[in-house]
Amino acid sequence: MKLLEEKIKTCGRVLPGGVLKVDGFLNHQIDVDLIMSLGREFFDLFRDEGINKILTVEASGISIAFAAAQFFHVPVVFAKKGENKNVGKDVYTGECFSFTKGKPYEMSVSKAYLGKEDSVLIIDDFLANGAAVKCLMHILDQAGASLVGVGIAIEKGFQPGGSELRAAGVRVESLARIRSMDDEGGIEFFD
Ligand code: 5GP
């Protein structure tokens, strides 16, 4: 998606260790018009797939999932990170390794909000090694829910998550796919 690629080029900052900082429009300040157009794009890609729920993870996935859900007219469920006393004990859980923080954390979703009747689109801001998406898929398995596909705003295609998920037969749609980034700020996209 050209609009997103341009925004990454003008506002993104490459940090050492292969981390792209996009605080100016996604991870801290939110460019609402841009995020709404990402939501519209996901709707166009998955509109005929019978999706009745969108699953994401707090915090930065929520705005994109919300934008998409506004077109699908379905609820958004977001997995909570860490030990959550207020979610209760009746939860699906998964352990995930955080690429940006370099340590493991737990995700949980209340059993009240996911079940076998659900056909789910997973949405997240970034796809790197695929740990977050695989953890959400593990939660869907526990719920007996069906995975329709995965919508990602920014895939770092030089990390293995996307190719591993596609090789496993998962439909992954990324709106910007980065081929390479260098510490001088150069960012190349796949066509
Ligand atoms: P993965 O689990 O695929 O390795 O990493 C995806 C998760 O880590 C996303 O939920 C995102 O929050 C975070 N992440 C991974 N790479 C980046 C990055 O380069 N920049 C930012 N801002 N977040 C990232």
Side-chain angles (χ1 to χ4, degrees):
M1 188 186 181
K2 282 285 165 238
L3 191 61
L4 179 58
E5 291 179 7
E6 286 310 317
K7 194 77 177 177
I8 293 168
K9 283 205 159 175
T10 51
C11 300
R13 204 154 53 83
V14 181
L15 302 186
V19 172
L20 177 65
K21 215 165 160 53
V22 289
D23 281 9
F25 63 93
L26 179 55
N27 289 149
H28 194 10
Q29 171 171 265
I30 295 175
D31 180 333
V32 174
D33 288 339
L34 175 69
I35 302 304
M36 288 309 287
S37 58
L38 305 190
R40 175 76 218 191
E41 197 77 11
F42 286 128
F43 178 66
D44 289 343
L45 287 163
F46 289 103
R47 65 193 304 163
D48 300 322
E49 304 298 333
I51 285 157
N52 73 329
K53 210 160 271 186
I54 295 177
L55 177 64
T56 188
V57 54
E58 67 176 357
S60 298
I62 295 175
S63 66
I64 311 169
F66 184 98
Q70 199 259 343
F71 297 101
F72 284 99
H73 299 286
V74 299
V76 173
V77 176
F78 59 93
K80 300 211 175 195
K81 288 182 181 172
E83 268 187 46
N84 263 287
K85 294 199 172 66
N86 60 350
V87 180
K89 291 228 174 306
D90 224 6
V91 291
Y92 309 114
T93 58
E95 172 135 315
C96 175
F97 189 83
S98 168
F99 174 74
T100 46
K101 296 195 173 69
K103 58 180 187 187
Y105 65 94
E106 192 166 280
M107 275 187 206
S108 56
V109 172
S110 167
K111 290 185 179 172
Y113 303 124
L114 271 183
K116 56 184 182 321
E117 65 286 355
D118 290 321
S119 294
V120 177
L121 173 63
I122 289 176
I123 284 187
D124 204 5
D125 57 346
F126 275 88
L127 177 59
N129 291 325
V133 168
K134 285 176 193 165
C135 193
L136 292 171
M137 287 169 63
H138 178 58
I139 284 172
L140 289 185
D141 281 346
Q142 292 168 60
S146 310
L147 173 67
V148 174
V150 176
I152 298 291
I154 305 171
E155 176 180 344
K156 293 187 293 178
F158 53 89
Q159 290 183 254
S163 32
E164 284 175 11
L165 290 167
R166 292 183 184 96
V170 177
R171 180 177 173 197
V172 181
E173 301 283 357
S174 302
L175 303 185
R177 245 182 116 213
I178 298 176
R179 184 197 295 275
S180 63
M181 314 190 300
D182 60 54
D183 291 351
E184 279 72 54
I187 302 174
E188 299 290 329
F189 295 93
F190 287 98
D191 291 331

